Amino acid sequence: MTESHMRGPVEPPLLDRTIGEAFDLAVERWGDEDALVVPHQAVRWTWAELGKRVDAVARGLVRLGFEPGDRLGIWATNVWQWTVTQFATSKAGIILVNINPAYRIGELEYVLNKVGCKGLVTGVEFKTSNYIAMLEGLLPELAECEPGQLQAAAVPCLRTVIRLGTARSPGMMNFGDVLDLGEANASAPLPPRPLDCRDAINIQFTSGTTGAPKGATLSHHNILNNARYIAHILRYTPQDRVLVPVPLYHCFGMVGGALCAVSTGATLVYPAESFDPESSLRAIAAERITSLYGVPTMFLAMLEHPDFATTRVDSLRTGVMAGAPCPVELMKRAVGDFHLPEITIAYGMTETSPVSFQSQTDDPIDKRVGTVGRIHPHAEAKIVDSSGGTVPIGEQGEIMTRGYLVMAGYWADDARTAEAIEDGWMHTGDLGTVDEDGWLRITGRVKDMVIRGGENIYPREIEEYLYTHPAIAEAQVFGVPDDRFGEEVAAWIQLREGESLDADRVREYCREHIAHYKIPRYIEFVDAFPMTVTGKIQKFEMRRMVAERLGLAEQETA
């Protein structure tokens, strides 16, 4: 291989099966084994018990008038109802629309209208979000309508709102009502008509940091096969118990979690409604977890938690760190301190179902901590320059991906779909290099690149060096506007507990190994970083805040 163009293995073969078919097979194979454990809801169900509830909700939705291809939104945290809804919609052919539980009312209104949601499953409240109050403000017609017969000016497509919890709200059904309705119609066929595995079954909205959120549209074929290959690499069996502290509304949770379990009979464990390091550590010990998921900030929070030193973690074997760039030093700590000898790094994006590269559980440790692995089965990738040409091995460029895993497109957005996908190739927006053996190294984001006085600076390189300082727990590097150089380098640094450091000492440390123009001019020490609910750092927000403090906000460009 002389060009940066990679093709994955062709084994195991792709499945031509719907998620509903895969779920039924899991129930048949592992009916008496644990399927779902949710300590915060006192739930512990076998596959057979989960299957009964899934079938009931699927039939209940059909009885309410939902047909294959209709869209049903879910706006909730990590609860058992989320997973039951995921599999129930898959069995009925209803397209599940994942809605970020951190969304406020304007964002909710946008996504419901964008994809034409006919129904919504909603949580009650979480942290500062009162979902019921927000919905009653958006949909005042609820107060006067019968459940299932909503006609609202703000969201004309919406007919049914289904709330969690035992209390009742005007115009809304309870989730238990849907269960009861399905049980009363147990003879109704599922699915109501034949489904195709290439039908759309899931819409996931991207973060929208550079514009309105985009609805990535994924099929059974996309996400079921992707989960199967993740699980195959992790060597899952029915004896594995997978901790899922990552949000279910994100691909990491619903594909890497729920669909991996369906493929292998592994047990899903949801330690809390949203990530909490203490709850996660407690569940690892109590449930004898064998596989741990998380974005880098979650692993760091658990490693730094006071309870970590006394938590029994000897059951752990494997897991996945993904969702954001994984610092080398943090990966080393996960392997050593967390006793995760077979942990893997996964790389991808929502639009690719999500994983396209992953390390193997037995890969050399230097490859597992220094790269994101090699290409997944039945996937293809290349690294291109600014003109679209494939670059030589070892040269940096944008990573592009092609194959079964690429989404159908952004829902009702042909223009943005055309920008993202060219001849089947998905633009990732990530920069990387690949070596002659196909190991991929992520070097930054196309839009994160800082151009200082004509010099291209890649923040990831500086961050990796800062992580080697023994006092630094986490670092984020970004560009801010500058009158003289166009942009200057800024860094936000979070110190390890009990450590002290100042900006001059950081710069002195950098001078030993980093070219002068890469050394951060602006350095701030922080307790936390602005981030999304999935744990992704929001550098655009840091840029805005620093630029405002420097009086340069009006000069900033996208």
Side-chain angles (χ1 to χ4, degrees):
M1 186 172 73
T2 58
E3 287 190 328
S4 299
H5 190 155
M6 300 133 279
R7 291 183 176 85
V10 295
E11 294 291 337
L14 287 163
L15 292 176
D16 286 324
R17 183 181 293 161
T18 67
I19 294 169
E21 290 168 339
F23 182 81
D24 287 345
L25 190 58
V27 172
E28 179 184 329
R29 285 178 173 172
W30 305 297
D32 294 332
E33 303 291 332
D34 280 352
L36 181 63
V37 178
V38 189
H40 64 92
Q41 292 181 293
V43 161
R44 186 179 299 273
W45 293 336
T46 64
W47 283 99
E49 290 168 332
L50 177 61
K52 289 178 183 178
R53 289 167 174 84
V54 166
D55 283 355
V57 171
R59 289 191 171 94
L61 292 171
V62 172
R63 185 69 179 82
L64 286 171
F66 287 90
E67 299 177 354
D70 284 343
R71 275 79 65 203
L72 175 69
I74 182 163
W75 191 31
T77 53
N78 286 19
V79 291
W80 67 260
Q81 293 92 335
W82 212 109
T83 296
V84 168
T85 302
Q86 176 185 351
F87 289 120
T89 51
S90 296
K91 293 198 71 171
I94 300 163
I95 299 173
L96 184 68
V97 181
N98 300 10
I99 301 173
N100 188 329
Y103 273 2
R104 309 307 287 181
I105 201 64
E107 296 160 313
L108 175 70
E109 180 180 2
Y110 171 82
V111 300
L112 291 175
N113 282 315
K114 180 66 177 179
V115 302
C117 278
K118 186 174 179 178
L120 174 69
V121 175
T122 179
V124 177
E125 60 182 355
F126 183 70
K127 293 185 178 178
T128 62
S129 293
N130 186 320
Y131 301 119
I132 302 302
M134 283 191 276
L135 281 168
E136 289 174 341
L138 176 66
L139 310 168
E141 297 89 346
L142 280 168
E144 305 297 331
C145 81
E146 292 295 318
Q149 298 179 16
L150 178 65
Q151 289 185 308
V155 190
C157 52
L158 195 62
R159 291 290 176 269
T160 303
V161 178
I162 302 165
R163 57 158 289 165
L164 306 186
T166 56
R168 294 197 171 272
S169 299
M172 301 184 193
M173 300 189 71
N174 273 46
F175 199 85
D177 298 337
V178 184
L179 269 166
D180 293 343
L181 190 59
E183 289 173 352
N185 288 269
S187 60
L190 278 177
R193 63 171 170 78
L195 305 177
D196 190 298
C197 68
R198 286 170 175 76
D199 289 340
I201 200 61
N202 183 223
I203 298 174
Q204 300 198 30
F205 278 86
T206 60
S207 61
T209 57
T210 58
K214 300 169 289 187
T217 305
L218 302 165
S219 68
H220 301 262
H221 192 67
N222 287 146
I223 56 179
L224 182 61
N225 278 295
N226 200 256
R228 182 167 176 252
Y229 296 135
I230 296 169
H232 178 76
I233 287 172
L234 295 171
R235 301 191 297 112
Y236 280 170
T237 72
Q239 283 67 55
D240 277 297
R241 302 176 73 80
V242 186
L243 194 76
V244 185
V246 294
L248 294 176
Y249 88 87
H250 190 269
C251 256
F252 201 168
M254 68 162 287
V255 178
L259 294 185
C260 277
V262 161
S263 301
T264 59
T267 303
L268 295 165
V269 180
Y270 303 156
E273 285 193 65
S274 68
F275 175 66
D276 171 65
E278 183 177 347
S279 298
S280 295
L281 291 170
R282 187 165 56 245
I284 288 169
E287 296 296 333
R288 305 300 290 152
I289 298 299
T290 63
S291 180
L292 176 61
Y293 289 177
V295 299
T297 53
M298 292 179 180
F299 277 88
L300 182 64
M302 287 184 280
L303 285 163
E304 298 286 336
H305 194 276
D307 290 348
F308 178 76
T310 57
T311 298
R312 187 176 177 184
V313 296
D314 60 311
S315 60
L316 289 171
R317 172 183 67 82
T318 189
V320 180
M321 192 187 297
C326 305
V328 170
E329 292 302 312
L330 177 58
M331 187 62 174
K332 289 178 180 177
R333 292 185 68 192
V335 172
D337 299 347
F338 238 132
H339 306 293
L340 283 163
E342 299 179 14
I343 191 171
T344 71
I345 289 283
Y347 163 78
M349 59 193 303
T350 301
E351 291 89 337
T352 58
S353 303
V355 175
S356 52
F357 282 78
Q358 189 174 355
S359 55
Q360 302 281 333
T361 57
D362 58 355
D363 279 338
I365 192 66
D366 63 317
K367 296 299 185 183
R368 278 193 282 146
V369 301
T371 77
V372 294
R374 289 180 282 194
I375 194 163
H376 251 222
H378 298 276
E380 188 177 2
K382 62 182 179 179
I383 297 177
V384 301
D385 57 25
S386 57
S387 64
T390 305
V391 303
I393 289 293
E395 191 170 308
Q396 179 177 263
E398 183 187 3
I399 304 160
M400 298 185 72
T401 313
R402 183 166 70 176
Y404 81 90
L405 67 175
V406 174
M407 67 173 182
Y410 295 119
W411 187 275
D413 201 334
D414 292 342
R416 293 167 97 180
T417 299
E419 290 174 2
I421 304 174
E422 293 183 50
D423 297 324
W425 287 100
M426 181 76 210
H427 283 276
T428 68
D430 288 318
L431 296 169
T433 63
V434 67
D435 66 18
E436 61 276 4
D437 295 318
W439 298 96
L440 179 67
R441 189 182 302 274
I442 306 299
T443 56
R445 288 283 298 169
V446 172
K447 291 183 179 179
D448 278 351
M449 185 177 72
V450 179
I451 304 177
R452 180 189 183 277
E455 296 279 4
N456 292 347
I457 300 172
Y458 300 98
R460 182 69 186 274
E461 176 188 358
I462 304 170
E463 289 165 358
E464 290 289 3
Y465 181 68
L466 290 173
Y467 276 116
T468 66
H469 194 292
I472 294 176
E474 191 159 2
Q476 296 295 323
V477 174
F478 50 94
V480 294
D482 183 79
D483 288 337
R484 181 180 178 189
F485 293 108
E487 283 187 292
E488 264 291 2
V489 180
W492 279 19
I493 292 172
Q494 186 176 19
L495 297 177
R496 296 189 190 281
E497 188 173 353
E499 297 287 350
S500 62
L501 203 59
D502 60 34
D504 287 340
R505 288 164 63 194
V506 171
R507 294 189 188 97
E508 188 61 35
Y509 185 73
C510 290
R511 287 190 185 100
E512 298 179 20
H513 291 283
I514 294 179
H516 71 90
Y517 63 87
K518 298 179 185 177
I519 297 174
R521 178 178 176 184
Y522 305 106
I523 297 173
E524 296 186 21
F525 296 92
V526 299
D527 294 325
F529 302 99
M531 60 180 65
T532 67
V533 71
T534 60
K536 292 185 178 181
I537 302 291
Q538 295 178 307
K539 286 191 177 182
F540 74 95
E541 184 65 13
M542 296 181 212
R543 283 194 291 267
R544 182 191 66 77
M545 293 168 70
V546 173
E548 282 186 359
R549 282 198 288 271
L550 296 173
L552 298 168
E554 72 282 357
Q555 300 176 30
E556 189 169 7
T557 58

